[in-house]
Amino acid sequence: MNERVSLILSRLKGVQNRIFLMRTALGALIFLSSILFVLILTALSSRLGHGSVLLGFVFWALSLIGLVGLMILIRKSWLNLEQTALVCERRFPELNDGLISLVQLSRMLLENRADFSLAMFERHLSQVEDKLNRLRLEDASDLKRLRMPGVICSFLFVIWLTFIFFLPGFPSAMSQSVFLKGLSREKGKELLKVSKPLELYDLEIDYIFPAYTGLESKHIEGADGNISVLAGSEVEIRAKASIDAKSAWVQVLPQGGLEAVVKNKELGARMVIRQSGQYRFEAEDKNGLVWSEPAFHKINAIVDHVPEVELVEPDRDMVVNEEQEVVLRFHCKDDYGLESVSLVFMSREKEHRIPLKEFKPAELESELEYKWDLLSENFLPGEKIAYYIEAKDNNNVTGPGIGRSVTRYLEIFSPLKEHERLIEKEQELFEKLISFLGESLSEDVAKRDAVKYWDMEAELIRQFKDVRDFLVSLKKDVDKDDYSPMLVKEMMEQGLERYRKLIQEREESRRIRNQAWTVRLRADTVLRMEQDILFWDKQLQKQRMDFLLSLAERLKAGQKALSEMMKEYERTKDPALLKEIEAKLDELKILYQEFLARMGEIGQTLPDEFVNMDAMEKIGAGEVMSKLEKFRQAVHDRDIENALENAEDFMSALEQMLGQLEEGSDKMGSGISSENMMALRDGLKKIQELVAEQGRLIQETDAIYQKQMLAMEKAAEMAEREKGLLQSELDALSELLERQRDALNQMTPRSKLDAKDIQEFYQNRNQISNQLWQMLRELELAKKELSQDKFDSTVQRLGNFEKQMSQIKQNFQKLSQASPDQQNSREFESSCNSGINRASSARRGANKLAGQMKDTLSESDSARLDALADKQGEIEGKLNGLMKDLGELLAKLPVQPKKTMEQLGKAGIKMKDAQGELKLKNADLGLVAEKESKYWLEQAQDSLEQFLEKMKGRPKPSGMPMSAQMRSGGNPGQQGQDGRTGVRTENFKIPGPDENKDPVEMRKKILKAMREESPKEYEDLNRDYYKRLVQ
Amino acid sequence: MMDSIIRWKRLMLCVIGISLIIGANLFAKPALDLSTLLNQGYAYLDNWQFEDAGEIGALVQEKVGQEVDPVLRAQAYLFLAQYWFHLGDYKRAIEDAEKSIELNPKSDSKVRKFLERLKFLANLFENAKEITSEHFRFRYTDPRDEVLAKPGLLALEQAYQALSRDFNFVPQGEKILVEIYPRASDLAMAVGLEEKMIKDSGTIAICKYRRMMVTSPRALLFGYDYQTTFSHELVHFFIYSLAGEAVPVWLHEGLAKYEEMSYKGRAGELDPVPKSLLVSALRNKELITFAQMSPTFAQFKTPKQGQLAFAEVSTMVDYIRQNCGQDSWFKMINMLKQGKTDKEAMRAVCGKDFSAIWSDWQRWVLAKGWKELPGAVVMKLEFKEQEGEEEKEEIVGTEGGKAWEFVRLGDLLRDRQYYPACVIEYKKAQEIEPYDPKILNKLGLAQTLAQDYASAISTLKKSAEIYPDYSTTYVYLGNAYVAMGADKEAIQAFETALSLNPFNPSPYRSLINLYQRSGDVAKAKEMQAGLNIIRKTGR
């Protein structure tokens, strides 16, 4: 039973909703229709020419009442079930109150409050069910009743829309009415008036255009009254009216009205068109009736467009040199004429304007070019300048239209900024190195099978190559950068070489799958990465700090200039200088702000342990800035006394801050650890000690050598006399031989001899003759050697001579027997004996001479040379030890002095030579080798010194804001400071021209030097010597 | 009968009354003049006899009004100011000091400086709070220092018990004042030393003017073992109370060092680093003489010197105790009170000259076989540069040398999350500097990050063993334990970290989580309360 009841009740609930919806919709439609009706009335009222304030009131009253009514209606439309049942009862009387009874009883039943007979109720229920089954309860709320109000509302809506779109002035009239814009006393009076339609004909309009347009006036007859003209033009309207008007006026929307001129039946009015709108004539006749044109005429004010400016060149933002001339090409045009064009730019927070051209009247278009000399603007390096071209038109009515080109930027090239960019790139490299190290080390601890091992090795090599490639690209830029320290440049060069080698070897090792080698190479790579990371870690910090210092140098330069200006002012008291000082202070302020900003940024990237940035900021941001401000203010107020006082304060505060900054930078050290730096300095010290030791050795050897030279000179003096005697002996021997040959040639055989013996005789004679001739040649050679002080050789030749002469004597005995001339034979034999004796005597003389020349070196000196050779050996041993230590140390460094080791190696070789020569008692050759060795040691010392200097040095390119890349002084590729070449000549004796006359000594030295690589001085000497030989 | 008894009683009462009056007159102190009173009062103050000094103070107050000589009155007010100052009542002290200056405008600069100091202290402690326990008044100015009160007072009371037993003596008078100074500079100002001297020597607390003046661990980047420091200063308090100024500084500090751990039942314990320093100094003949220790330990230019001096004197105390009898140093103190020199006292109790004791003590120390730790460092107290600086768990090494190059590499790798790689670099550093606490901790942290928890714990335990006062180690150790799920050990580590640096929020957070996880809600709440205290806005 309950279910059956619920079913009926749910049907009833459906009816309840429908009734609610229908009533609400009906109310809304009526409300909307009323509103639309009033809105439409505003159109009609505006057509009649009067304000519609009343309609505004009606609109708002209606809206308010309507809304309230609607709310009430909605509230009332929500019926409860019993009310709904009653509605149904009213609609369907056949229910005969059965439904309402059922609803009431069923509630009691559902709430278990039924105190009635359920059997009776069931019977009643069955009856109601029967009736309801025959009825459509939904019809109790017939939606068809909404049809008519809906149609009306839609109709009104369509009309309203039509008015909006097609009726000019309707929206404004509507807004004027609805928002009660026209509410005034006069309007109220107007509301009471009734207007009649005014007809106008023979309409004429004169257009007078603004003078700047250069357009002539225009007259139009038979116009429809609509006006379309350039804003600012004056329009004169004349028309004939259908009535005799007492007065007339023009109602202009939206501005208001103006008086019209009435002359007979002709009406006229003049107005300046400033904006679009509408107008109509209205007139009052003599009876006081108001006449209005039934429709408004349109006013279309044509706007004067602003000039169009197109910046053709530069077509992009540019980085330029502050001395450069930038060519600007631009095109500008205007619809009625250009007046002027200017270049506008922002520099140091101020707008500047350069007039480029004034145009002739009515010039509509122009294509221009302007060469902008940046030097005259005093831009600062690194400054970013926004600029555009601005053109004005000649509109002097509504004010000139201003057109602008796009804004572009010029950045004044700053080597500092470029350097800053490079530091960022170096930071990127640093990150790559760390990543690679991280990957490499992680890979070392990972346990991989063989296949994965080699795959990972390939991956690591790839990463390594990435690092290398990045370094290659970075190096190109860094090489060009004046602010990058030499140390960094060299490190990059050497690093690149090492990376290339390592990559190559790792690739090779991977190719042949040599794991042991790869492990070693990986360890080498890790070591290299570690060293390089530590280098960059410090170097980047140092470079950042140095960068800050470079900025500070600009500040210092500014400060100096300011200081000079202040001094000048104190001297001259020239008030004009104050302006300059003020400008300089503005510039300094901007510089200082930039400096502070950078300091803030850099401060975050620097580890606290290196520099107390907080402290610096405290000084920087607080004190200096406030002192600068005080100074500026005092100058600005022309409070000279204070200005001078504040200037001093500011300068000293700035100086103090910059001093602190420099101190902080010094703390940074370089990219090489202090431990290694100390070791390098130790190495340098040891080289210096070696140089000193070698110097002492040279002094000692030189003393012996000089002593020997003196002895040799004495011996040579004595030898000259002996040589003369010997020479005459040899000459006498030659004569003797000549005579012997003559005597021999005169000898004939005995006549009794047979043919065979005769033949033998002549054979013997010829043989002896040849021997004699040979001996003559030998004697000539001996003479020559004697003149060349080759005494040993002379002795040897004379010894040979003696033997040959004895042999001739023997051979001659046989010949003598076969010869009839015994007298001649005896003489020949006697001359042989004489020759032997003379030769023997000459040999002894030569032998004596040779002995004299050899004994120039005393025994003690000889022993001393031995000791010096040992000493040289000791020095060489020290050098070898040093080279070993230094080699190990340099291998750990990310960057190394290029030639030091090579130069030390050469010094070592020369030390060996010196040792050998000293052992052989050749003090002269030993001395040469010693000196050469010292030379190479000094070269090594120089190169190491320069390297250490580079490591601590901060590059300071000359002329701070200059963008020129050439360093002052020196040629490309030249090393060393201040144009000094890297060769030292001190303590190195170069033989003078007279010394070259000593052929034996010099020849020995020179020939020795020719065999081996020699210092430059020796090369020159060789060249000179050979030149003279040729001459 | 009754009447006679009553009469007898009355007679007796009269006799007693008269006797009392006569007795009182006989035994009453003679009326002293103001000048004598002041001299006596100062003597009491110098000898820490504050009750007696108080009595004198009361008499001086009575007499000062009647005194006509303005200079003497000025001196009287100055004495009163000194008395109030010793009691920690700065406002009253200022009143009297000002009166003194007013009466004697020609007062010397010391008086004016004293007034300045009073004003400074009055200003510093103007809104100070006090928490008291049975024997102590714990005074602090910064609300965050409240976190020290509970564990600090607990440690102090424990130390009080232990020292009362060991010294067989209880200090008399009012509760002992413990003042917490927010900065080292405040402590320096309070005791009239230079801040640099305080920082260089690592002086963190001073027992003077009948109170303990302690710099808050909040003033240091890593905190310090403040409970043991409280205990150390309390030993000084006991010695002063017992013997006034008679005890020489070496014995004062020796006893203090020896007894400072008595509240934990570990009297005489020395850490490995001081042991190593002592052995090294003995071998290299670089000992600090007792004369060099005078007048104060605060004069040492480096913490290393201070540590060595402490090691020397504490082992000397131990040596005397073991070789000259358990109560030998009490005997020495008594002799010193009687005016004997320390050397005379030592000869009397040990039966040999100081030089023989000095040599024997060296042999005795060497015989202990303590290890030298090459490269072990003495941790310098890292004071915060400015207020508000965050408590740190790690500092960047600024040391030079190869090891620190590897450390730097490790740091760079760690920052970029190459944890196994940074472990390798730290290990390289550790091979060079095997006992550097910072390197050990960095390695331990890196091992934790690389999830090698067992190695991390081993490394950090080694660090904790050598440097038990370095709070960071325990934080890292706790984190490693948490990571490997050993909550119990983690709790212990974090608790130790907090006992050293209660201003580091990280262990609180970890402990809250751990206690919540273990269901110990009360402890979790306690930690939360601690965290809330240290998060309070400072003064």
Side-chain angles (χ1 to χ4, degrees), chain B residues 39-59:
Chain B
N39 284 340
Q40 208 169 347
Y42 277 120
Y44 286 143
L45 284 181
D46 288 347
N47 287 317
W48 287 57
Q49 291 168 273
F50 293 98
E51 278 192 59
D52 298 332
E55 282 177 26
I56 297 286
L59 288 171

Side-chain angles (χ1 to χ4, degrees), chain A residues 427 430-431 434-435 437-439 441-442 445 526 529-530 533-534 537 541 607-609 614 673-676, chain B residues 385-386 392 396-398 400-406 408-409 412-413 416 418-422 424-425 428:
Chain A
Q427 178 70 38
F430 179 61
E431 293 299 329
I434 297 172
S435 294
L437 175 67
E439 295 291 343
L441 286 173
S442 307
V445 291
V526 164
M529 289 299 122
E530 286 176 345
I533 288 167
L534 289 170
D537 189 27
Q541 284 157 3
D608 296 343
E609 65 262 32
D614 286 348
S673 75
S674 53
E675 200 183 350
N676 286 340
Chain B
E385 288 299 326
Q386 58 199 43
K392 289 186 184 174
V396 181
T398 54
K402 192 71 196 162
W404 290 94
E405 288 185 356
F406 289 122
R408 178 70 183 146
L409 286 166
L412 290 169
L413 288 164
R416 288 151 185 86
Y418 288 104
Y419 300 129
C422 80
I424 294 172
E425 295 294 356
K428 287 179 190 171

Side-chain angles (χ1 to χ4, degrees), chain B residues 273-294:
Chain B
V273 174
K275 282 179 187 170
S276 161
L277 284 176
L278 183 55
V279 174
S280 167
L282 281 167
R283 287 191 181 137
N284 300 316
K285 302 197 184 311
E286 288 170 349
L287 288 173
I288 298 169
T289 63
F290 287 176
Q292 287 169 331
M293 293 175 195
S294 185

Side-chain angles (χ1 to χ4, degrees), chain A residues 724-767:
Chain A
L725 291 173
L726 210 55
Q727 200 77 36
S728 50
E729 278 295 308
L730 292 181
D731 287 344
L733 273 175
S734 292
E735 273 176 36
L736 182 83
L737 288 177
E738 289 289 347
R739 278 201 309 276
Q740 279 186 323
R741 275 191 77 189
D742 288 345
L744 189 68
N745 288 338
Q746 284 169 17
M747 283 181 77
T748 50
R750 284 182 191 164
S751 54
K752 290 176 186 172
L753 294 180
D754 54 21
K756 191 185 166 192
D757 289 335
I758 290 169
Q759 192 183 352
E760 195 179 339
F761 175 85
Y762 281 107
Q763 273 177 351
N764 284 334
R765 198 185 75 171
N766 282 345
Q767 192 186 350

